[in-house]
């Protein structure tokens, strides 16, 4: 006997139970999907805040070192920042996008092609964070050294993305198991 014919022969109470169980499984899937969308947006916002916090934590020492002409001290502060788990780069841009100081000293004196740089003169003191394709967040803060300059902190979203992927796989597996349980209940009735 096919499962559709089997359901048709069930008493009304069991049909209602099967319908409620199926609706609950579908509702679980929809709410899981919506929940992951919400938490993904929240985690991106938290990463932006963390990148801005990292930039503000080195803002004053870097600015003071550059103002005093101690580029090596500024470079040391930027290197120390990049040793944290998710910070992948830290640079100071001077006029025209030229890198004045960097955690990687080989970048100094160069320009980075294809990188959007906000205008340091119009940028608020709190800075701005910009997301690049769910891969990284770049935080920019203005520095007031002899000419307007920008401090950039590059923050990787890779650990966050891998955690979200693991969570979504777990949720999909749990949803699949719950659907199998509903199918087993229907089959056994």
């Amino acid at each position: 006997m096919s499962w559709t014919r089997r359901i048709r022969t069930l008493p009304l109470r069991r049909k209602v139970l099967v319908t409620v169980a199926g609706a609950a499984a579908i509702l679980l899937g929809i709410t899981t999907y919506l929940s992951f969308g919400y938490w993904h947006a929240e985690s991106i916002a938290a990463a932006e805040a963390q990148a801005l916090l990292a930039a503000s934590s080195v803002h004053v020492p870097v600015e003071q070192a550059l103002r005093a002409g101690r580029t090596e001290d500024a470079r040391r502060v930027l290197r120390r920042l990049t040793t944290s788990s998710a910070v992948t780069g830290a640079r100071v841009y001077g006029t025209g996008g030229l890198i004045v100081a960097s955690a990687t000293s080989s970048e100094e004196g160069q320009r980075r092609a294809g990188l959007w740089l906000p205008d340091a003169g119009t940028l608020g003191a709190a800075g701005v964070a910009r997301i690049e394709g769910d891969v990284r967040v770049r935080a920019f803060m203005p520095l007031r050294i002899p000419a307007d300059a920008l401090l950039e902190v590059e923050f990787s979203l890779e650990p966050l993305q891998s955690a979200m992927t693991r969570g979504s796989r777990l949720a999909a597996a749990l949803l699949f198991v719950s659907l199998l349980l509903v199918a087993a209940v229907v089959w056994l009735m």
Side-chain angles (χ1 to χ4, degrees):
M1 182 184 294
S2 72
W3 66 275
T4 55
R5 188 169 289 168
R6 192 175 213 174
I7 289 177
R8 286 184 189 153
T9 61
L10 290 175
L12 182 60
R13 183 174 282 165
R14 285 191 181 163
K15 286 180 184 176
V16 169
L17 179 66
V18 167
T19 303
V20 167
I26 290 170
L27 185 63
L28 176 66
I30 291 170
T31 56
T32 300
Y33 176 77
L34 294 175
S35 176
F36 269 99
Y38 170 77
W39 286 111
H40 182 263
E42 285 295 311
S43 62
I44 295 291
E48 286 178 341
Q50 190 171 359
L52 283 170
L53 186 63
S56 68
S57 71
V58 297
H59 175 267
V60 173
V62 168
E63 186 174 46
Q64 288 176 349
L66 289 175
R67 183 173 285 147
R70 297 187 319 262
T71 309
E72 186 57 42
D73 291 346
R75 193 177 301 127
R76 194 173 311 122
V77 170
L78 295 173
R79 267 194 217 116
R80 198 172 329 124
L81 178 63
T82 58
T83 60
S84 76
S85 61
V87 176
T88 58
R91 295 163 202 87
V92 175
Y93 294 94
T95 310
L98 193 68
I99 298 175
V100 177
S102 174
T104 309
S105 58
S106 62
E107 293 179 334
E108 292 177 7
Q110 299 176 7
R111 288 184 174 80
R112 298 198 56 196
L115 178 65
W116 170 82
L117 292 174
D119 181 23
T122 60
L123 191 61
V128 65
R130 179 183 161 127
I131 300 171
E132 292 184 354
D134 284 350
V135 177
R136 68 177 54 96
V137 173
R138 294 183 189 277
F140 296 98
M141 296 196 89
L143 296 176
R144 306 290 178 226
I145 49 180
D148 286 346
L150 278 174
L151 168 65
E152 175 205 12
V153 173
E154 189 176 322
F155 189 82
S156 173
L157 295 176
E158 193 62 41
L160 176 67
Q161 293 295 13
S162 63
M164 293 295 285
T165 301
R166 286 191 310 272
S168 62
R169 286 182 183 154
L170 175 64
L174 291 174
L175 180 61
F176 181 72
V177 168
S178 66
L179 289 175
L180 285 178
L181 289 173
V182 168
V185 167
V186 168
W187 183 258
L188 294 174
M189 290 188 161

